Coordinates of all heavy atoms in Angstrom, one line a residue:
P115 N 39.9 103.7 23.7 CA 39.6 102.7 22.8 C 38.5 103.1 21.8 O 37.6 103.9 22.2 CB 39.1 101.5 23.7 CG 38.6 102.2 24.9 CD 39.4 103.4 25.1
P116 N 38.5 102.6 20.6 CA 37.5 103.0 19.6 C 36.1 102.4 19.9 O 36.0 101.4 20.5 CB 38.1 102.5 18.3 CG 38.9 101.3 18.7 CD 39.5 101.6 20.1
D117 N 35.1 103.1 19.4 CA 33.7 102.6 19.4 C 33.2 102.3 20.8 O 32.5 101.3 21.0 CB 33.6 101.4 18.5 CG 33.9 101.8 17.1 OD1 33.6 102.9 16.6 OD2 34.5 100.9 16.4
C118 N 33.7 103.0 21.8 CA 33.2 102.7 23.2 C 32.2 103.6 23.7 O 31.2 103.2 24.3 CB 34.4 102.6 24.1 SG 35.4 104.2 24.2
F119 N 32.4 104.9 23.6 CA 31.5 105.9 24.1 C 31.3 107.1 23.1 O 32.2 107.3 22.2 CB 32.0 106.6 25.4 CG 32.0 105.6 26.6 CD1 33.1 105.3 27.3 CD2 30.8 105.0 27.0 CE1 33.1 104.5 28.4 CE2 30.8 104.2 28.1 CZ 32.0 103.9 28.8
L120 N 30.2 107.8 23.3 CA 30.1 109.1 22.6 C 30.1 110.1 23.8 O 29.4 110.0 24.8 CB 28.8 109.2 21.9 CG 28.8 108.8 20.4 CD1 27.4 108.9 19.9 CD2 29.7 109.6 19.6
Q121 N 30.9 111.2 23.6 CA 30.9 112.3 24.7 C 29.6 113.1 24.5 O 29.2 113.4 23.4 CB 32.1 113.2 24.5 CG 32.3 114.2 25.6 CD 33.0 113.6 26.8 OE1 33.0 112.3 26.9 NE2 33.4 114.4 27.7
D122 N 29.0 113.4 25.7 CA 27.8 114.2 25.7 C 28.2 115.6 25.3 O 29.0 116.3 25.9 CB 27.1 114.2 27.0 CG 26.6 112.9 27.4 OD1 26.3 112.1 26.5 OD2 26.6 112.6 28.6
E123 N 27.5 116.1 24.2 CA 27.8 117.4 23.7 C 27.0 118.5 24.3 O 25.8 118.3 24.6 CB 27.6 117.5 22.2 CG 28.1 118.7 21.4 CD 28.1 118.6 19.9 OE1 27.9 117.4 19.4 OE2 28.2 119.6 19.3
L124 N 27.6 119.6 24.7 CA 26.8 120.8 25.2 C 26.3 121.7 24.1 O 26.9 121.7 23.1 CB 27.7 121.6 26.2 CG 28.3 120.8 27.4 CD1 29.3 121.7 28.2 CD2 27.2 120.3 28.3
D125 N 25.2 122.3 24.4 CA 24.7 123.3 23.4 C 25.5 124.6 23.5 O 25.7 125.1 24.6 CB 23.2 123.6 23.7 CG 22.3 122.4 23.3 OD1 22.6 121.7 22.4 OD2 21.3 122.2 24.0
V126 N 25.9 125.1 22.3 CA 26.6 126.3 22.3 C 25.6 127.4 21.8 O 25.1 127.3 20.6 CB 27.8 126.3 21.3 CG1 28.5 127.6 21.3 CG2 28.7 125.2 21.7
E127 N 25.2 128.3 22.6 CA 24.3 129.4 22.3 C 25.1 130.7 22.0 O 25.7 131.2 22.9 CB 23.3 129.6 23.4 CG 22.3 128.4 23.5 CD 21.2 128.7 24.5 OE1 21.1 129.9 25.0 OE2 20.3 127.9 24.7
I128 N 25.0 131.2 20.8 CA 25.6 132.5 20.5 C 24.7 133.6 20.9 O 23.5 133.6 20.5 CB 25.9 132.6 19.0 CG1 26.8 131.4 18.5 CG2 26.6 133.9 18.7 CD1 28.1 131.3 19.2
M129 N 25.2 134.5 21.6 CA 24.4 135.6 22.2 C 24.4 136.8 21.2 O 25.2 136.9 20.3 CB 25.0 136.1 23.5 CG 25.2 134.9 24.5 SD 23.8 133.9 24.7 CE 22.7 135.0 25.6
D130 N 23.4 137.7 21.4 CA 23.3 138.8 20.5 C 24.5 139.8 20.5 O 24.8 140.5 19.6 CB 22.0 139.6 20.9 CG 20.7 138.9 20.6 OD1 20.8 137.9 19.8 OD2 19.7 139.2 21.2
D131 N 25.2 139.8 21.7 CA 26.4 140.7 21.8 C 27.7 140.0 21.3 O 28.7 140.6 21.5 CB 26.5 141.2 23.2 CG 26.7 140.0 24.2 OD1 26.8 138.9 23.8 OD2 26.8 140.3 25.4
G132 N 27.6 138.8 20.7 CA 28.7 138.2 20.2 C 29.4 137.2 21.2 O 30.3 136.5 20.9
G133 N 28.9 137.2 22.4 CA 29.3 136.2 23.4 C 28.7 134.8 23.2 O 27.9 134.6 22.2
L134 N 29.0 133.9 24.1 CA 28.4 132.6 24.0 C 28.1 132.0 25.4 O 28.7 132.4 26.4 CB 29.2 131.6 23.1 CG 30.6 131.1 23.6 CD1 30.5 130.1 24.7 CD2 31.3 130.5 22.4
Q135 N 27.2 131.0 25.4 CA 26.9 130.3 26.6 C 27.0 128.8 26.3 O 26.5 128.4 25.2 CB 25.5 130.6 27.1 CG 25.4 132.0 27.6 CD 24.0 132.3 28.2 OE1 23.8 133.2 29.0 NE2 23.0 131.5 27.8

Side-chain angles (χ1 to χ4, degrees):
D117 301 323
C118 55
F119 290 122
L120 273 177
Q121 188 78 346
D122 294 331
E123 191 172 346
L124 300 174
D125 289 325
V126 181
E127 291 188 3
I128 305 298
M129 311 306 291
D130 292 340
D131 60 4
L134 66 76
Q135 294 181 157

